[in-house]
Amino acid sequence: MAPGNLTRVTEFILNGIADLPELQVPLFFVFLVIYGLTVVGNLGTITLTSVDSRLQTPMYFFLRHLAITNLGNSTTIAPKMLLNFLAKKKTISYYCCAAQLGGFLVFVVAEIFILAAMAYDRYVAICNPLLYMVVVSRQICLLLVSLTYLYSLSTALTASSCVFSVSYCSSNVINHFYCDNVPLLALSCSDTYIPDTTVFMLSGIDLFFSLIIVLISYFNIFLTVLRIQSSEGRQKAFSTCASHLMAVTVFYGTLLFMYMQPTTNHSLDTDKMASVFYTLVIPMLNPLIYSLRNKEVKDALKGFLNNPCKSLKLV
């Protein structure tokens, strides 16, 4: 068929998580609960770290923005996925697909670097506690977060532009539950070498530099903790990092598995399961991991529930 006779795709069909009709309604309720908990947990984290005077340190500032990226990431994907569980026609328009990919990339790249900033924050708090409020001042925190969002936006625009610069012809069934670059490029009827390479390089650069920050921070934390004489002091120092270290390990491990391999080696069904984990499950778990295990947050939550008007300064 001549290139001029090719039909350009105007919409895509999302295969979803499972094809079996009998699983659609149970999966709808499972993911509705997951998304509901994600919204409540992350909105709660954003609210508490904004209004409570005890939670105005750099650590909680970064935690608030982690909650924003988690909520944004899930909200970019979950509502459409939930609708498709109940819909007979699981379609998404060409432009909505591009918007979903762009939104997802903005929030996931921002999350990568906010996690790196949180690792640096823990490094300064443990290794240079006397300089903590100087090195991690409010101005520095605002600068780091602003640069993170600006960079994530530019990365998202570059990557999504590359993915949608290729031609999509007759094949329009995406083997995924949202518009992601790998399954989209697999559908293209034109050469995908440049978009594949660009996306691979951007993923590699983001993961490499953010992971280097995390590894260097925790290497220095580990050395500092080893120098602490008392076992109680070592345990206290490790406990301040345990939640972040666990979340970082799971999140980065999943992303490395997903994106740091050539497209030809991808198993899209395996990627789907990994995507569920870091786009929906991790955003639900993060408020529990970071907040509810923390005494200051528990106290702030109790105070807010006992007198929300006072916490919000309405009285």
Side-chain angles (χ1 to χ4, degrees):
M1 183 181 291
N5 295 329
L6 292 175
T7 303
R8 187 174 178 84
V9 166
T10 58
E11 65 179 16
F12 295 98
I13 298 170
L14 294 165
N15 260 355
I17 293 173
D19 296 330
L20 297 174
E22 60 269 22
L23 290 178
Q24 302 305 302
V25 173
L27 284 173
F28 169 81
F29 285 108
V30 168
F31 286 102
L32 180 64
V33 169
I34 289 173
Y35 181 58
L37 291 173
T38 299
V39 172
V40 171
N42 286 290
L43 277 181
T45 300
I46 294 165
T47 303
L48 286 178
T49 55
S50 298
V51 303
D52 196 281
S53 59
R54 291 164 291 188
L55 306 180
Q56 300 306 309
T57 63
M59 179 177 77
Y60 295 111
F61 175 83
F62 289 123
L63 180 60
R64 183 189 316 148
H65 285 278
L66 181 68
I68 290 169
T69 59
N70 283 163
L71 184 61
N73 201 358
S74 289
T75 302
T76 301
I77 292 165
K80 181 61 179 175
M81 182 186 71
L82 290 169
L83 284 174
N84 282 349
F85 279 129
L86 305 179
K88 290 184 178 179
K89 195 177 180 184
K90 305 177 191 298
T91 58
I92 183 169
S93 73
Y94 181 90
Y95 294 107
C96 285
C97 188
Q100 187 182 59
L101 175 62
F104 162 72
L105 291 173
V106 166
F107 290 115
V108 79
V109 173
E111 183 172 358
I112 287 171
F113 285 101
I114 287 172
L115 285 170
M118 292 174 78
Y120 175 71
D121 171 74
R122 292 299 82 206
Y123 156 71
V124 178
I126 292 172
C127 300
N128 296 289
L130 297 178
L131 297 174
Y132 181 61
M133 295 310 295
V134 176
V135 176
V136 195
S137 65
R138 180 167 181 79
Q139 290 78 13
I140 295 294
C141 291
L142 286 169
L143 178 63
L144 287 173
V145 167
S146 299
L147 289 174
T148 292
Y149 287 130
L150 184 63
Y151 175 75
S152 64
L153 181 61
S154 63
T155 301
L157 288 172
T158 303
S160 54
S161 297
C162 282
V163 171
F164 283 90
S165 67
V166 298
S167 298
Y168 295 95
C169 306
S170 55
S171 181
N172 70 335
V173 180
I174 302 173
N175 187 19
H176 218 310
F177 59 92
Y178 70 96
C179 293
D180 197 9
N181 50 19
V182 173
L184 271 167
L185 289 173
L187 298 179
S188 176
C189 56
S190 60
D191 181 29
T192 61
Y193 175 77
I194 291 176
D196 273 334
T197 305
T198 303
V199 169
F200 181 78
M201 286 180 64
L202 287 172
S203 303
I205 290 167
D206 293 345
L207 287 171
F208 175 77
F209 283 107
S210 59
L211 198 54
I212 284 294
I213 295 169
V214 171
L215 291 175
I216 291 174
S217 297
Y218 274 104
F219 178 74
N220 284 286
I221 288 170
F222 182 72
L223 292 180
T224 301
V225 169
L226 288 180
R227 296 190 195 106
I228 298 174
Q229 299 298 320
S230 67
S231 59
E232 184 181 344
R234 285 196 297 269
Q235 186 177 356
K236 184 179 179 182
F238 271 126
S239 68
T240 64
C241 304
S243 297
H244 180 259
L245 190 57
M246 179 172 64
V248 160
T249 302
V250 174
F251 184 78
Y252 278 86
T254 308
L255 285 182
L256 286 167
F257 170 77
M258 282 279 295
Y259 291 106
M260 288 309 296
Q261 53 178 316
T263 308
T264 52
N265 293 340
H266 266 78
S267 166
L268 293 179
D269 289 329
T270 306
D271 282 0
K272 244 193 281 190
M273 294 304 103
S275 296
V276 167
F277 198 71
Y278 79 82
T279 60
L280 299 169
V281 177
I282 289 177
M284 177 191 70
L285 294 177
N286 274 343
L288 299 174
I289 293 172
Y290 285 105
S291 304
L292 296 184
R293 294 183 64 207
N294 184 301
K295 186 179 183 301
E296 289 177 323
V297 176
K298 285 181 181 179
D299 291 342
L301 180 59
K302 286 177 185 176
F304 182 82
L305 294 176
N306 289 334
N307 196 341
C309 290
K310 184 179 178 182
S311 298
L312 294 171
K313 297 179 174 60
L314 298 178
V315 292

